[in-house]
Amino acid sequence: MSSNTLDFEVTPNERPTPAADREAILANPGWGQHFTDHMVTIRYSAEKGWHDARLQPYGPIPLDPASQVLHYAQELFEGLKAYRQDDGSIVSFRPYMNAARMNRSARRMAMPEIPEELFVQALEVLVRTDRDWVPGTPGYSLYLRPFMFATSRVLGVNQPSQEYLFMVIASPSGSYYPRGIKPVTVWLSQNYTRAAPGGTGEAKTGGNYAASFAGQAEAVAQGCDQVVWLDAVEHRWVEEVGSMNLMFVYGSGSEARLLTPALTGTLLAGITRDSMLKLAPDLGIPVEEGKISIEEWQAGCESGEISEVFGCGTAAIISPVGAVRGPDREWRIGDGEPGEISMKLRAELLGIQSGSRPDPYGWVHKII
Ligand SMILES: Cc1ncc(COP(=O)(O)O)c(C=O)c1O
């Protein structure tokens, strides 16, 4: 046991989900609705550091009403998946990137960093215990949700909590596209911004998501699927779509190149985004991190210079954008079908995750 890992106290669930019920859930898991039989908890205090690591039955946790998280939202989370590969092994994808991102979020939220080895150990302990919950259906996975929040029992706002709880829960997830991949229509929100310079946009903290629900509801009210987040100052520079990073394909075929908004501090540094930026050049598709305004986006689509646009993130891998709508403008991208470059990148990444393609990058992390 390295000094950065802990011994877990294990309490097995004495009433696990019956196998037949579990199999019924795995046949049609939906997204984020069902949870496995166990969870991980690890406590932190300023005095003891990380301690009291447990694997225990999944269930409610007692929380003092004065816990800081309930008042000041000192919280952060991560999201990644465990996949059952074609040879039966169970893997996760770049979990150390999630650990590093959680620690960057922790620094912004004045929370303690967790050793990366302990973060990954916690995932492994849970996945090994609940291995029967990792679906075998292609495109399905076990979504892992590590999160951490402030538990000090104090209402003072002058200092961050001195105590925290880190947890991991797991939820089987089905295909993001049960009826096949369909491009989405997105809404250019002028009324709401997700993140401002100096704020918490690049931290994966719950408050960013709480603040995004109204924008998403506005998008739906406008007949769109997702909201596009624009910069908070000029409301014209494109940042993200829903909870995904955005990629723009210029040109097509062997001339195609990718542009994605640069990480300015207001965007979340997606692990799928990073993977695309590494994969694409190896497939002969040059990439650039830069800036794109809504005017350039519209003009590029109308001239045909921009051939495809897609969101990318752990949940969907790639979500093609087919149409854009705003209060005073509307345009289409491509012919309403998923584009060639989007699908090529998706197939490549999915192939690495499922084990059907080689992994020259060492991204796949074997758990079992
Ligand atoms: C705001 C936001 N942007 C982008 C992403 C994509 O990140 P990843 O590729 O790590 O899932 C997510 C999802 O985690 C997100 O919440």
Side-chain angles (χ1 to χ4, degrees):
M1 186 118 325
S2 103
S3 60
N4 282 333
T5 54
L6 291 173
D7 282 321
F8 277 69
E9 188 182 312
V10 174
T11 310
N13 190 334
E14 286 179 354
R15 297 177 52 213
T17 309
D21 295 357
R22 187 184 63 236
E23 291 310 320
I25 292 170
L26 293 185
N28 188 14
W31 207 90
Q33 298 157 30
H34 302 282
F35 297 92
T36 65
D37 292 317
H38 296 88
M39 62 186 189
V40 159
T41 58
I42 311 178
R43 294 200 170 267
Y44 176 91
S45 70
E47 268 167 28
K48 293 193 199 163
W50 291 104
H51 65 283
D52 194 14
R54 293 169 192 254
L55 177 91
Q56 58 191 52
Y58 180 95
I61 44 172
L63 210 52
D64 192 288
S67 295
Q68 270 215 15
V69 64
L70 299 178
H71 305 273
Y72 310 127
Q74 213 192 356
E75 186 268 0
L76 44 85
F77 67 97
E78 270 303 325
L80 70 165
K81 290 171 171 175
Y83 308 84
R84 194 177 290 277
Q85 290 204 324
D86 302 342
D87 68 358
S89 49
I90 296 175
V91 304
S92 64
F93 185 71
R94 308 186 76 186
Y96 285 93
M97 282 268 304
N98 292 90
R101 185 169 68 186
M102 188 165 217
N103 284 336
R104 288 201 303 279
S105 301
R107 290 197 285 278
R108 177 62 183 86
M109 300 301 291
M111 295 168 74
E113 293 181 41
I114 182 164
E116 290 182 7
E117 294 81 0
L118 180 56
F119 178 98
V120 174
Q121 183 192 14
L123 302 176
E124 290 176 347
V125 166
L126 183 58
V127 172
R128 286 195 185 119
T129 307
D130 285 340
R131 63 181 72 189
D132 291 343
W133 284 90
V134 182
T137 312
Y140 289 25
S141 57
L142 183 64
Y143 181 79
L144 306 174
R145 169 53 61 85
F147 57 111
M148 191 209 301
F149 53 92
T151 53
S152 278
R153 183 176 168 274
V154 54
L155 294 182
V157 284
N158 292 332
Q159 68 164 352
S161 178
Q162 300 298 294
E163 291 172 6
Y164 296 87
L165 187 59
F166 170 88
M167 300 184 62
V168 188
I169 55 176
S171 172
S173 68
S175 169
Y176 196 81
Y177 297 104
R179 280 174 288 282
I181 300 179
K182 270 258 151 277
V184 295
T185 299
V186 297
W187 172 249
L188 300 171
S189 181
Q190 297 287 347
N191 290 327
Y192 300 102
T193 44
R194 194 191 83 89
T200 56
E202 68 183 346
K204 207 161 162 62
T205 180
N208 290 340
Y209 298 79
S212 74
F213 291 137
Q216 175 62 23
E218 185 188 64
V220 170
Q222 295 292 339
C224 297
D225 304 292
Q226 301 263 337
V227 55
V228 171
W229 300 112
L230 302 173
D231 77 288
V233 180
E234 296 182 67
H235 296 288
R236 55 186 286 251
W237 301 103
V238 179
E239 298 204 326
E240 303 195 65
V241 60
S243 55
M244 286 183 276
N245 294 113
L246 265 169
M247 299 264 165
F248 297 81
V249 182
Y250 285 76
S252 57
S254 60
E255 298 296 308
R257 62 188 171 85
L258 272 187
L259 171 81
T260 190
L263 301 176
T264 54
T266 50
L267 284 74
L268 191 82
I271 288 154
T272 318
R273 174 188 183 279
D274 185 82
S275 307
M276 292 293 159
L277 292 181
K278 296 196 164 80
L279 262 182
D282 290 346
L283 298 173
I285 307 165
V287 297
E288 184 193 337
E289 295 176 81
K291 258 180 123 168
I292 177 166
S293 66
I294 45 179
E295 294 83 9
E296 289 163 342
W297 183 358
Q298 181 171 10
C301 290
E302 286 172 354
S303 72
E305 202 194 350
I306 296 177
S307 57
E308 303 174 30
V309 177
F310 60 88
C312 65
T314 297
I317 304 184
I318 272 177
S319 177
V321 179
V324 187
R325 199 175 290 164
D328 55 357
R329 58 182 85 221
E330 189 162 351
W331 70 91
R332 303 194 67 77
I333 304 159
D335 59 4
E337 291 302 317
E340 181 200 334
I341 300 293
S342 314
M343 290 302 98
K344 188 171 169 176
L345 288 164
R346 181 175 189 276
E348 197 67 29
L349 193 56
L350 201 60
I352 292 175
Q353 291 168 341
S354 67
S356 64
R357 293 191 191 203
D359 171 25
Y361 311 98
W363 287 341
V364 167
H365 176 87
K366 189 166 165 115
I367 298 178
I368 297 176

